[in-house]
Amino acid sequence: MLAHTNRAALTGLQEPAPVPKEVQLKAEGVSAGYAGPPVIHQVNLELFKGEIACLLGPSGCGKSTLLKAIAGFQPLMEGRLWMGQRLLSSTSVQVPPEKRNIGMVFQDIALFPHLTVAQNIAYGLHRSPKAKRRPRIDELLSLIRLEGHGDRYPHELSGGQQQRVALARALAPKPDLLLLDEPFSGLDAHLKDELVPEVRRILAQEGITALLVTHDQQEAFSIADRVAVVHQGHIEQWDTPYAIYHKPATRFVASFVGQGRLIKARALADHQVQTALTSTPWNQAHAFAPHTPLEMLIRPTDLRIDEEGELKARIVSRQFRGAGSLYEVELASGERVLCTSASMEHQVGQFVGLKLQLKEAALFEASHG
């Protein structure tokens, strides 16, 4: 029947095969550290050409150590690092940093104060023929929207402009990979909100493959195509920002990324789960054995105060958040969760109705600790 005929059959044309993505950076079982045990353990990841990715995690988790290993500043204890088909690092091979064609942007920017903007950018072109330097400088000044600022000195620029110059200097030789180590941490929130999408635009326009380190999840979600959540030297999840937030793979990812609370749940037959949030079982795709004790992640956006809601809870605390308010409420089970409301009218101690807006359930087997 026509309803079951695919488009290729109707047109007589064969569906084009998807273009395989080219792997630009590959880590295979990478472990690295300093004196003593490894700081990062058996890390595996693939970064595609033109992709912007982020290493996200708390201080001391090993993300900067991994960045240093990729840059060539830290030898490997185990594993291999590849740039395309080229081996950069192993236990027996260590290509020097200056021969890796990797650009770096650091937290402290590190512009040369005695050089002009154009001269700072030109520093990244010292291996290029002189005839090609000026056109590339002009191209980059246009890219970072600082045309006419080439003769200025760093102290004459704003913090955001200085950061863009540092980025242009790193991009000047067209590196195979750009590493950014906490590049926005010294900026105020307003400037960061302006600069992060601007940096993403610049990287995308240049077609640069980039890997950024940060502990700021909003920064990671705003700039990255994929995010690696790092915890105690291990990558807990390597996925899209959406999946990291809505489908956390581990309990750590669920607790570290975004706000949320874990409530008790119990697996029933036929892929159903019972919690204190609903009087009827919750259908979900995870296959847990019946009666398995579980925990379900509830984000503030999964619940909202609704006077017509059948579920009742008592307000424990509230925080004004500008466009809305964040409430902590206590369920009849004694469990506490976070929810949102557009108003600040509800008072601490008041009983309110709740409406569940959860679309997908993130479930974990209950911790026995």
Side-chain angles (χ1 to χ4, degrees), residues 121-351:
I121 296 173
Y123 184 81
L125 294 167
H126 61 279
R127 290 190 179 92
S128 300
K130 287 186 177 181
K132 294 185 177 181
R133 294 180 192 176
R134 189 70 241 182
R136 180 62 174 159
I137 291 169
D138 292 339
E139 179 184 13
L140 288 165
L141 284 172
S142 175
L143 184 68
I144 64 173
R145 296 174 176 168
L146 285 178
E147 303 97 324
H149 289 68
D151 293 332
R152 295 192 183 184
Y153 288 87
H155 72 271
E156 298 178 289
L157 304 179
S158 68
Q161 289 173 328
Q162 290 179 22
Q163 193 66 273
R164 279 184 279 159
V165 173
L167 179 62
R169 183 177 62 186
L171 293 176
K174 298 186 178 180
D176 293 326
L177 175 68
L178 181 67
L179 304 177
L180 302 101
D181 191 4
E182 301 271 8
F184 309 111
S185 62
L187 304 177
D188 62 61
H190 179 71
L191 183 54
K192 185 187 295 188
D193 287 344
E194 289 184 352
L195 193 57
V196 169
E198 184 72 358
V199 168
R200 179 172 172 82
R201 176 193 66 82
I202 292 168
L203 294 175
Q205 196 165 327
E206 280 280 286
I208 291 290
T209 308
L211 183 61
L212 175 140
V213 160
T214 185
H215 62 272
D216 185 328
Q217 57 193 268
Q218 293 306 317
E219 184 180 305
F221 289 175
S222 296
I223 200 169
D225 300 309
R226 285 194 293 168
V227 175
V229 180
V230 186
H231 180 226
Q232 296 181 346
H234 298 274
I235 292 182
E236 298 259 332
Q237 189 170 354
W238 173 233
D239 218 325
T240 64
Y242 180 90
I244 293 288
Y245 186 85
H246 290 284
K247 301 176 183 178
T250 68
R251 186 176 275 100
F252 173 79
V253 176
S255 62
F256 180 73
V257 174
Q259 291 180 294
R261 299 284 173 82
L262 291 168
I263 65 169
K264 293 178 182 178
R266 185 168 60 92
L268 306 176
D270 300 323
H271 301 283
Q272 292 188 320
V273 172
Q274 184 71 59
T275 72
L277 285 175
T278 57
S279 57
T280 57
W282 172 265
N283 289 305
Q284 46 80 47
H286 300 278
F288 293 102
H291 311 299
T292 301
L294 304 172
E295 291 178 308
M296 179 185 285
L297 175 65
I298 301 297
R299 301 279 193 201
T301 50
D302 295 333
L303 283 171
R304 68 178 173 86
I305 293 177
D306 186 331
E307 293 310 319
E308 296 181 1
E310 295 182 3
L311 182 66
K312 302 299 179 183
R314 181 177 65 88
I315 295 175
V316 176
S317 67
R318 62 178 184 171
Q319 298 177 38
F320 180 59
R321 294 293 181 90
S325 300
L326 180 70
Y327 291 86
E328 182 182 28
V329 298
E330 186 175 81
L331 305 175
S333 63
E335 297 171 295
R336 293 184 177 186
V337 292
L338 300 173
C339 64
T340 59
S341 174
S343 75
M344 273 288 286
E345 297 176 358
H346 311 293
Q347 304 300 315
V348 172
Q350 178 183 349
F351 281 85

Side-chain angles (χ1 to χ4, degrees), residues 73-90:
F73 300 132
Q74 189 64 40
L76 302 189
M77 294 178 170
E78 291 181 288
R80 296 183 295 181
L81 277 168
W82 299 84
M83 184 74 74
Q85 301 299 313
R86 184 187 181 204
L87 180 62
L88 295 181
S89 297
S90 69

